[in-house]
Amino acid sequence: MVEEKSPELNHEDSGKMAAYCFYELDDKNARADSAEVMKWLRQKSNDIEANKDLDNLFGHHGGGPNGAEWNPATNLYIAVFTPGVQGSAGSHFPALYINGSAYKTVFYNINNHLYWYKISLHFLEQHTQAITRADIRNMHSDAYLKAVSTGKIIPVTDLNYGEILRFKIVCGADTLSQFFHCAYGE
């Protein structure tokens, strides 16, 4: 079996910035009030700080075709872990870009070096884009793409099936690129 790309998620070992993506309340159909969401954000922040094994949507494959997240129907939350304590010499706040544009929204600073960005369901539905050849090369490992091209692996559907949001996170000299791949159907 050929392994898919999986971004480095263990911030404790790398000492570098890390990014996480979650459905609101870890449920792709969640509807919650702000108090419930803030309680969940605090708990999730503690889990990230403790470097627990989390169901990070940036690091796993969903149940849809080619690993897409299937029929997402709630808000997304992006957590950005920045090394060191903010406000110290040389520290920076993370900037989030989606599909090449700065994402100008209020973020939640739960801990000194953990920032959360809310991506509303409406934004997700309005801004997902078609998957390009460059996206396919960035989303899949060279070994996987070679196995597909030689017929050793036959994907369920074309690799460009579904839509994506392209995330770029910049904090000082660190830059991360991630994708949220989704597809809709019955």
Side-chain angles (χ1 to χ4, degrees):
M1 173 128 193
V2 177
E3 294 282 324
E4 285 283 343
K5 280 187 180 177
S6 182
E8 182 177 298
L9 303 176
N10 189 335
H11 62 269
E12 195 170 86
D13 291 343
S14 70
K16 294 190 178 214
M17 179 173 55
Y20 305 81
C21 180
F22 305 101
Y23 290 120
E24 186 170 274
L25 303 183
D26 295 316
D27 178 352
K28 74 176 185 175
N29 297 302
R31 299 285 184 265
D33 64 36
S34 59
E36 191 176 4
V37 169
M38 287 308 293
K39 180 180 175 186
W40 173 78
L41 285 173
R42 282 191 283 281
Q43 180 58 53
K44 206 50 117 168
S45 296
N46 290 337
D47 292 346
I48 291 170
E49 289 281 345
N51 209 30
K52 289 187 177 179
D53 188 25
L54 302 170
D55 193 18
N56 181 355
L57 299 177
F58 285 151
H60 88 306
H61 300 287
N66 299 325
E69 294 298 321
W70 192 244
N71 295 327
T74 192
N75 304 319
L76 296 177
Y77 284 82
I78 309 300
V80 179
F81 177 87
T82 59
V85 177
Q86 296 305 316
S88 63
S91 66
H92 302 275
F93 295 97
L96 178 65
Y97 298 86
I98 301 177
N99 296 336
S101 298
Y103 187 67
K104 298 180 191 273
T105 187
V106 174
F107 60 83
Y108 306 95
N109 180 212
I110 303 293
N111 297 329
N112 286 332
H113 47 271
L114 187 61
Y115 298 87
W116 289 90
Y117 298 86
K118 178 182 176 181
I119 312 299
S120 72
L121 176 60
H122 178 74
F123 184 93
L124 172 69
E125 292 171 338
Q126 297 297 312
H127 291 89
T128 53
Q129 297 181 350
I131 298 170
T132 67
R133 284 182 168 211
D135 295 329
I136 291 169
R137 286 190 305 272
N138 290 322
M139 291 168 59
H140 302 284
S141 69
D142 291 339
Y144 178 78
L145 293 175
K146 183 178 180 180
V148 168
S149 71
T150 61
K152 289 181 182 174
I153 293 178
I154 300 172
V156 188
T157 188
D158 290 336
L159 292 179
N160 65 348
Y161 182 78
E163 299 175 319
I164 62 170
L165 287 179
R166 296 169 196 88
F167 292 93
K168 180 179 175 184
I169 304 158
V170 179
C171 186
D174 288 338
T175 300
L176 286 175
S177 294
Q178 300 287 357
F179 297 89
F180 180 77
H181 178 197
C182 60
Y184 298 90
E186 294 183 31

